[in-house]
Amino acid sequence: MESVTIRRALPAEFDTVGELTARAYLEGGHIPAENTHYLTSLRDAADRAAKAELLVAVQGDKVCGTVTVARHGSEYTELARPGELEFRMLAVAPEAAGSGVGAALVDRVTDLAAVEAWERVVLYSNRTMTVAHRLYERKGFHRVAEHDWEPFAGVRLLAYALDLER
């Protein structure tokens, strides 16, 4: 694997990041094309950068992945409680799938959580994202089924958490 750099997204990259995120969800079969509301959210990287922390994975000069880091109380948290850092909208460009980009992004989030002394990292994942579920489990995340959520009919989100040593 070519080396991956994880850093904050630059404003000039927001459109690229938004399209990469939407493409990963659509091509992965995790969201129907008719779900224009969520596709609009996936494409709005500028909003994520303004209200949370938008990270990108870069190989060479190409953005190949992204994740949104939301601290408790952010407009982008859905699951996080006090002491918990949440990440959302993890996406890897389809052509970079399986290259370790997703793992590098998750590692960056958990490293950030440890440095900032959060107790736990949490996330929701669509039940169809089985490749991501395997990644989370390899990284030490466990299911928190009592926090699973169905934001609307037919979409079930699975809760995962990683407890950090303090």
Side-chain angles (χ1 to χ4, degrees), residues 68-131:
T68 300
V69 180
R71 285 149 182 90
H72 173 72
S74 157
E75 286 183 40
Y76 274 89
T77 58
E78 294 177 324
L79 177 61
R81 291 169 168 65
E84 297 177 342
L85 182 70
E86 182 170 345
F87 72 89
R88 299 193 52 204
M89 299 179 190
L90 175 71
V92 174
E95 60 276 9
S99 69
V101 171
L105 286 162
V106 171
D107 288 344
R108 177 60 181 267
V109 172
T110 58
D111 290 348
L112 183 65
V115 166
E116 293 181 8
W118 293 93
E119 297 169 16
R120 189 180 228 202
V121 179
V122 297
L123 68 112
Y124 276 124
S125 182
N126 189 310
R127 63 185 161 89
T128 65
M129 297 178 166
T130 56
V131 172

Side-chain angles (χ1 to χ4, degrees), residues 29 56 145:
V56 291

Side-chain angles (χ1 to χ4, degrees), residues 79 81 120 124 143-149 157-159:
L79 177 61
R81 291 169 168 65
R120 189 180 228 202
Y124 276 124
R143 288 275 293 111
V144 190
E146 64 270 20
H147 294 296
D148 287 358
W149 180 42
L157 300 178
L158 308 180

Side-chain angles (χ1 to χ4, degrees), residues 26 33 35 39 57 67 104 124 129 161:
L26 283 167
N35 190 340
L39 279 171
V67 67
Y124 276 124
M129 297 178 166

